[in-house]
Amino acid sequence: MAQTSDPRQRTWIAFLAGAVAMLAIVLLWLALSGAHGLMGEALRADVALPRGPALPNPDAPPPEGPHVPKLPLPTPR
């Protein structure tokens, strides 16, 4: 006769797997419902989007960078 494992072990594994699956489903539902509530007010069609800052003139010279001080050169003695 083939050896089988204790049937009680399989029920605990199935219970824990079901609990993990239900937890994942609940967390996913909460994340989606919270995101939908936040997006509902932010993505309305009658609200104008704020304008960003104007782009710099492409013909303007680039700004000067930081200047490194000139160190004294060592002189041979």
Side-chain angles (χ1 to χ4, degrees), residues 2 15 20 28 30 37 42-43 48 51 54 62 67:
F15 174 76
V20 169
L28 181 65
L30 287 173
L43 297 178
R51 299 195 61 90
H67 296 285

Side-chain angles (χ1 to χ4, degrees), residues 10-75:
R10 287 181 284 187
T11 56
W12 277 105
I13 292 173
F15 174 76
L16 290 176
V20 169
M22 291 300 291
L23 179 65
I25 290 171
V26 168
L27 290 176
L28 181 65
W29 178 74
L30 287 173
L32 289 176
S33 66
H36 179 67
L38 292 175
M39 287 190 304
E41 295 177 12
L43 297 178
R44 292 191 348 216
D46 60 339
V47 175
L49 295 176
R51 299 195 61 90
L55 295 175
N57 184 5
D59 298 330
E64 290 189 28
H67 296 285
V68 178
K70 291 187 178 185
L71 297 175
L73 294 174
T75 57

